[in-house]
Amino acid sequence: MRSLLSLSLILAAVSASAQSAVSILPTDNEQAIIRKAASVVPAPRQLRWQELELTAFFHFGINTYMNREWGDGKEDISIFNPEKLDARQWVRIAKAAGIKQVILTAKHHDGFCLWPSKYTEHTVAHTPWKGGKGDVVKEVADACKEYGMGFGVYLSPWDRNSAVYGDSAKYNELFLHMLTELLTNYGRVDEVWFDGANGEGPNGRKQVYAFEAWYKLIRHLQPQAVIAIMGPDVRWVGTESGDGRLTEWSVLPVSASTQENIAAHSQKDMTFAPLGNMMGEDLGGRDKLMTASGLIWYPSETDVSIRPGWFYHPAENNKVKTPSELMNIYFSSVGRNSVLLLNIPPNKDGLISPEDSASLLGWKELREKTFSQNLAAGAVIDSKNGKKDTTADIVYHLAGSKTFDVVMLQENIRVGQRVERFVVEAWDGAAWKQITEGTTIGYKRLLRFPAVTTDRVRLRILSSRLNPALAKFGLYKLAQP
Ligand code: FUL
C-alpha cells in the first residue's frame, strides 16, 4: 500500500536520452522504434504551452467593421475606429475565465495591421482611431503584462493586400520586417501563430514562404515562443469544431510537420469545414511510426470560436456558445490531450460583448464546481506492474464511498507519452465492473460516464510503450449548469 503522492512504482526516471526529436535508423526494429517513441519529450517551450491548457484568440480587425470573415484587402480602412477599445477588458475577461494566454490577430488575410508597421500603409496608423496614434498590439501586450497573462501574435502569411504577395523574395523580406517589429517592440511573445489558410485557388498568386528564415528569426528574438500551425512546435488538431481525437499522440512522424502537409490540410475557402479534414486518423499509432524516418514531439492545439464566426457579427449575439457547450469543448479538447484555443471576438466598440463574457464566466464556474473536489484525494493506492513492465494495475481505496462521473488521468509527459490502452473499473462489492476505457492519455485525459458509487476504483494500464508514468489521477462529480 502506498500514498497517492508516491507513485514511485510507476513513475519512470527521466531517460538520459530524452529529447524532442529522434531519428530512426534502418537497423531499428519495431521494439527499438517504440522505445524511441516513448522517450521523445516536449521542449521546455512546448511543456510550458501544454500546461497552460486554456488559451484564447482575439479575432479583431477590419473584418469587425465590414461584418466579414475574410476581407479582400481592398477595404477602406478609415472605417476602423474602435473608440471605446479597452484591451484590458479583453484580457481581464479571459483571465477571469481561467485562460492563461491570448493570441491577437495582428494581421489577418486582408493584410490590415493592428500595429503601426513601417512597412505598409495598410495599418492602424492610417485610420482615424486615436488620430493614427493607436496600436492594438501594444494595448493587448501591455494588458497581458499587467495581468500576468501569456501573449501571442497571429500573423497571416496569406496577404490579400500586399502588392508584393506572390513575388516570393520581396514578400518574404516584408514578412521578416513585420515579424521583427512584432517580436522586438512589445516585450515577451509566447506564441507565434501562422495560419495555413490560403484562398488564392489554382490560378491565384503563388508565394513560396521562407519558413526557415522566419523560424530562425523567432528563435533568435523570442526563443521561448512556440511556433504554431505552420510551425514546428504546435500542430493544428485538424478541425475547427472543438473536437479532439480520441487517440491523440503528441509524438508523431517528422513528416507531420512538413509545410506541404500542413498547407494541404488547411482552409482553402471560407467554409468552416476545412478540406482534407485531418480528424479521421490516429496520427501517431504504431503503424505510423514504423515507416517514419524520425519522430518529433508535435502536440495538438484545438481552435474553435465561442460564436459561429471568428470575427464579431452582431447577428451572432444570440449564438454564443453556452457554458455547457463550452464544457463539452473543454472535455473534447483539454480532455483529449490538446490545448484549447478559444476565440473571443471583440465587437466594433473594441470590447468583448456581455453575451460572451457571461458565457465564459458560467463555464468557469462549472469547471470550478466540478474540479475543485477530487474524490480520489486521500485514497490509499495499491499498485503492481504486470508481467511486462508495460502494463500495470492500480487500485485506489477511496476515503469512503464516493459518487462520481468523471475520471481524469495525466501522464508525466516530461518523460514522454507512453500509455496506449487503459480501462477504469469500479468494485461493486463482489466484482470489478468496467466504467470507462480509452487509448491514449498524454498530458491530460478526461472521460465522462454515468455516475458510479463505490469505495474502490481500479485503473488498468493494458498497454504502454514503456513503463507507464502517471502524474495525476482524479475522480469528480460533474456540476449541473
Ligand atoms: C483560419 C482562417 O481562415 C480563419 O479566418 C481564422 O483565422 C482561423 C483561426 O483560421 O484558417
Side-chain angles (χ1 to χ4, degrees):
M1 296 262 181
R2 43 188 74 232
S3 81
L4 187 65
L5 290 173
S6 69
L7 279 174
S8 54
L9 191 68
I10 53 168
L11 273 176
V14 182
S15 131
S17 63
Q19 47 195 318
S20 54
V22 294
S23 23
I24 295 193
L25 309 174
T27 48
D28 284 340
N29 59 16
E30 174 168 353
Q31 208 191 349
I33 295 173
I34 294 304
R35 258 197 115 71
K36 281 188 174 177
S39 314
V40 177
V41 296
R45 63 172 85 85
Q46 292 172 309
L47 185 62
R48 172 198 168 272
W49 168 86
Q50 187 86 50
E51 289 174 344
L52 298 171
E53 298 192 8
L54 298 177
T55 63
F57 240 154
F58 294 139
H59 272 68
F60 184 67
I62 207 71
N63 290 334
T64 314
Y65 292 83
M66 299 294 291
N67 201 17
R68 274 186 184 163
E69 279 294 309
W70 277 13
D72 59 13
K74 299 190 181 82
E75 292 81 9
D76 173 3
I77 59 175
S78 67
I79 54 167
F80 183 85
N81 196 8
E83 279 177 346
K84 299 186 193 143
L85 186 137
D86 181 4
R88 296 174 70 241
Q89 184 242 18
W90 311 358
V91 174
R92 235 178 7 247
I93 290 171
K95 186 170 179 154
I99 287 162
K100 300 286 177 352
Q101 178 159 305
V102 303
I103 301 176
L104 173 68
T105 52
K107 177 186 79 137
H108 203 252
H109 310 325
D110 50 68
F112 177 62
C113 298
L114 290 178
W115 79 102
S117 173
K118 288 197 204 110
Y119 298 92
T120 170
E121 304 214 321
H122 206 57
T123 81
V124 282
H126 300 269
T127 69
W129 182 53
K130 295 196 170 178
K133 299 272 180 292
D135 184 341
V136 186
V137 175
K138 181 165 182 353
E139 298 207 13
V140 176
D142 287 352
C144 287
K145 260 172 234 118
E146 180 182 343
Y147 291 111
M149 295 273 275
F151 170 67
V153 288
Y154 164 113
L155 196 64
S156 170
W158 182 38
D159 189 319
R160 305 179 84 184
N161 173 264
S162 172
V164 295
Y165 186 86
D167 181 336
S168 294
K170 280 198 183 141
Y171 182 73
N172 283 322
E173 203 186 314
L174 169 74
F175 201 82
L176 278 177
H177 282 310
M178 290 182 166
L179 256 184
T180 306
E181 289 179 324
L182 291 171
L183 302 180
T184 48
N185 296 337
Y186 302 99
R188 182 182 155 121
V189 174
D190 300 292
E191 183 159 354
V192 180
W193 216 91
F194 292 136
D195 200 331
N198 185 323
E200 287 290 322
N203 302 318
R205 296 176 295 172
K206 292 206 173 23
Q207 167 71 36
V208 180
Y209 299 127
F211 287 109
E212 290 310 319
W214 304 356
Y215 301 163
K216 216 172 132 195
L217 184 75
I218 299 167
R219 295 290 196 240
H220 174 64
L221 294 174
Q222 299 276 354
Q224 74 291 333
V226 287
I227 312 175
I229 315 310
M230 296 202 100
D233 301 322
V234 169
R235 157 177 60 94
W236 182 47
V237 74
T239 172
E240 293 174 345
S241 63
D243 273 326
R245 282 181 194 75
L246 288 171
T247 299
E248 184 59 89
W249 287 102
S250 294
V251 177
L252 296 195
V254 66
S255 58
S257 68
T258 62
Q259 299 313 330
E260 297 75 36
N261 185 55
I262 295 167
H265 293 95
S266 294
Q267 279 185 236
K268 307 273 185 290
D269 59 37
M270 241 185 302
T271 57
F272 295 109
L275 295 178
N277 189 314
M278 293 165 85
M279 291 305 292
E281 37 176 350
D282 151 15
L283 303 177
R286 286 185 182 231
D287 55 326
K288 299 285 185 316
L289 305 187
M290 291 312 133
T291 52
S293 60
L295 304 173
I296 50 169
W297 188 269
Y298 200 33
S300 90
E301 180 181 74
T302 303
D303 64 332
V304 59
S305 186
I306 193 167
R307 290 161 172 255
W310 290 100
F311 285 88
Y312 175 84
H313 308 290
E316 293 180 353
N317 281 347
N318 58 356
K319 295 195 177 114
V320 174
K321 291 186 174 73
T322 62
S324 300
E325 287 171 315
L326 294 176
M327 197 65 169
N328 287 338
I329 288 175
Y330 178 75
F331 274 93
S332 66
S333 57
V334 175
R336 292 184 185 168
N337 190 30
S338 195
V339 167
L340 175 59
L341 174 56
L342 178 67
N343 180 57
I344 315 160
N347 60 26
K348 272 167 94 165
D349 283 337
L351 294 169
I352 290 176
S353 301
E355 295 84 355
D356 306 64
S357 67
S359 196
L360 288 165
L361 296 182
W363 171 49
K364 167 79 182 316
E365 197 183 321
L366 276 183
R367 291 191 337 262
E368 258 172 16
K369 282 194 186 150
T370 300
F371 294 105
S372 59
Q373 204 194 350
N374 182 356
L375 300 167
V380 177
I381 301 174
D382 192 359
S383 72
K384 59 175 186 297
N385 282 9
K387 281 201 193 87
K388 293 182 268 173
D389 59 8
T390 52
T391 60
D393 277 5
I394 305 152
V395 178
Y396 298 84
H397 298 267
L398 307 179
S401 175
K402 308 281 178 190
T403 301
F404 52 87
D405 49 14
V406 174
V407 63
M408 181 195 71
L409 297 162
Q410 291 196 270
E411 277 183 81
N412 176 11
I413 59 167
R414 287 160 200 266
V415 300
Q417 185 185 354
R418 300 174 173 184
V419 175
E420 293 178 310
R421 201 152 65 85
F422 63 90
V423 296
V424 182
E425 302 166 330
W427 183 251
D428 72 356
W432 289 108
K433 291 269 160 63
Q434 182 172 321
I435 47 181
T436 190
E437 63 182 327
T439 52
T440 47
I441 295 175
Y443 170 73
K444 187 175 267 193
R445 189 68 203 270
L446 293 166
L447 292 143
R448 289 181 286 186
F449 41 81
V452 175
T453 303
T454 183
D455 64 356
R456 222 175 297 169
V457 174
R458 182 162 75 174
L459 168 64
R460 307 192 67 198
I461 307 288
L462 302 179
S463 171
S464 179
R465 290 177 174 178
L466 209 60
N467 52 322
L470 289 190
K472 244 181 182 168
F473 178 81
L475 299 170
Y476 305 93
K477 182 75 191 67
L478 268 176
Q480 292 314 310

